[in-house]
């Protein structure tokens, strides 16, 4: 039996200004907590690199939006910030990275409704190592399959109780999709809607790029366009996608927001799945078909990685 990954838990507790460090080897929540029994809660995941958490404000904002969709009242953001810092510092003190390049800590912000009738939610921050597979997939790329999500793009607006735009603890479907993709020999999946639109990955946002050379009255220039599915199609707005789009725009890229269909992925010069933990993973094949060419994928991925490296 393999040993569990080292983990640090810090609970948001009014009696502890910087959060209460808890023993992760001991039970910490009730077995009757609604987060455990019903998946009734929300979470966020972010990456700390060499002790510095990335995109904290964006994650706190999205945590608040998800909580509002579930009628959960959260502690103030400053309390979360202090608990995040405590968790990262505690983890790095106890589990120092072998090298600066490996100094990555996955930080999760978790909220449950607590036990039935609880006056306030249960909130904690969890710090753990970054999966080795994440770094590998950034470098070598991934193969994905397209999977039908079972909803059309208007389902979120028509049935807001589905919580399609919230990051909830109810991730069983997402994990089942990943297991199904693995059984097909793929690394990941991209969801499509029943009305034929490209949506998102189970734990990531979809990006694609087109590069073309245009001639403006004798002046030849290269146009790079970065595109993601439209946000109003029942997907979770990606914090990494939003930050990368801002950096790409400043660097002269053109930006676009869907709607996208699967053929748009096959016609792209490059496709990526982007998330806060794995970061930018180039897609090599979709349903067995190569996307773009290795040289173009490598070049564009390097350009986006350079832009993303400057994001706090």
């Amino acid at each position: 039996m393999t040993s569990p990954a080292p983990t640090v838990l810090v609970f948001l507790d009014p009696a502890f200004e910087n959060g209460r460090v808890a023993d992760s080897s001991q039970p910490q929540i009730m077995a009757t907590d609604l987060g455990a029994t019903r998946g009734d809660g929300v979470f966020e995941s972010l990456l700390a690199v060499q002790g510095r958490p990335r995109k904290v404000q964006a994650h706190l904002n999205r945590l608040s939006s998800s909580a509002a969709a579930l009628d959960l009242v959260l502690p103030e953001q400053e309390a979360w910030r202090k608990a995040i810092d405590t968790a990262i510092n505690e983890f790095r003190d106890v589990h120092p990275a072998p090298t600066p390049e490996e100094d990555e800590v996955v930080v999760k912000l978790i909220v449950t409704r607590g036990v039935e009738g609880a006056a306030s939610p249960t909130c904690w921050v969890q710090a753990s190592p970054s999966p080795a597979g994440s770094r590998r997939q950034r470098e070598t790329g991934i193969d994905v399959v397209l999977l039908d999500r079972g909803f059309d793009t208007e389902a979120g607006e028509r049935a807001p109780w589905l919580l399609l735009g919230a990051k909830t603890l109810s991730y069983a479907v997402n994990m089942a999709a990943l297991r199904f993709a693995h059984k097909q020999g793929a690394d990941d999946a991209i969801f499509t809607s029943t009305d034929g639109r490209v949506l998102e990955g189970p734990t990531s946002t979809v990006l694609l790029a087109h590069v073309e050379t245009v001639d403006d009255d004798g002046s030849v220039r290269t146009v790079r366009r970065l595109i993601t599915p439209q946000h109003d199609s029942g997907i979770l707005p990606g914090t990494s996608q939003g930050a990368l789009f801002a950096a790409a725009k400043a660097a002269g890229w053109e930006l676009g927001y869907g709607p996208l269909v699967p053929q748009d992925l096959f016609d792209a010069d490059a496709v990526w799945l982007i998330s806060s933990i794995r970061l930018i993973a180039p897609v090599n094949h979709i349903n067995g078909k190569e996307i773009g060419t290795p040289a173009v994928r490598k070049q564009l991925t390097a350009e986006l990685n350079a832009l993303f490296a400057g994001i706090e």
Side-chain angles (χ1 to χ4, degrees), residues 229-308:
Q230 60 195 90
H231 287 168
D232 62 356
S233 57
I235 65 175
L236 182 73
T239 60
S240 296
Q241 171 266 313
L244 181 60
F245 263 43
K249 182 177 181 180
W253 287 64
E254 294 184 358
L255 307 178
Y257 291 88
L260 299 174
V261 297
Q263 190 60 45
D264 292 320
L265 300 175
F266 295 114
D267 292 341
D269 291 306
V271 173
W272 302 269
L273 292 184
I274 182 172
S275 61
S276 293
I277 306 304
R278 187 170 55 189
L279 305 181
I280 303 171
V283 175
N284 298 329
H285 300 87
I286 298 178
N287 288 356
K289 181 178 179 180
E290 184 170 19
I291 304 301
T293 64
V296 172
R297 282 199 307 273
K298 183 176 181 179
Q299 175 188 341
L300 293 177
T301 300
E303 291 183 28
L304 293 184
N305 279 331
L307 293 175
F308 202 67

Side-chain angles (χ1 to χ4, degrees), residues 121-278:
T122 303
C123 306
W124 72 94
V125 175
Q126 174 180 309
S128 56
S130 175
S134 295
R135 291 190 291 271
R136 183 181 67 253
Q137 289 182 352
R138 295 174 207 163
E139 299 170 358
T140 63
I142 56 177
D143 293 339
V144 308
V145 290
L146 299 179
L147 298 181
D148 188 338
R149 192 177 190 179
F151 300 107
D152 62 55
T153 50
E154 297 180 356
E157 182 177 353
R158 188 174 63 248
W161 51 86
L162 292 176
L163 303 174
L164 295 181
K167 195 173 180 71
T168 74
L169 293 175
S170 302
Y171 250 48
V173 170
N174 301 59
M175 297 301 98
L178 284 177
R179 289 193 297 273
F180 184 87
H182 295 162
K183 291 176 182 177
Q184 311 309 306
D187 303 296
D188 212 319
I190 293 175
F191 286 128
T192 59
S193 66
T194 55
D195 51 342
R197 303 298 188 187
V198 174
L199 297 175
E200 58 191 343
T203 63
S204 58
T205 303
V206 178
L207 301 176
L208 65 85
H210 287 289
V211 180
E212 61 179 325
T213 301
V214 298
D215 188 339
D216 290 336
D217 298 326
S219 177
V220 178
R221 61 188 180 91
T222 300
V223 176
R224 290 169 168 77
R225 192 157 193 257
L226 196 59
I227 308 169
T228 196
Q230 60 195 90
H231 287 168
D232 62 356
S233 57
I235 65 175
L236 182 73
T239 60
S240 296
Q241 171 266 313
L244 181 60
F245 263 43
K249 182 177 181 180
W253 287 64
E254 294 184 358
L255 307 178
Y257 291 88
L260 299 174
V261 297
Q263 190 60 45
D264 292 320
L265 300 175
F266 295 114
D267 292 341
D269 291 306
V271 173
W272 302 269
L273 292 184
I274 182 172
S275 61
S276 293
I277 306 304
R278 187 170 55 189

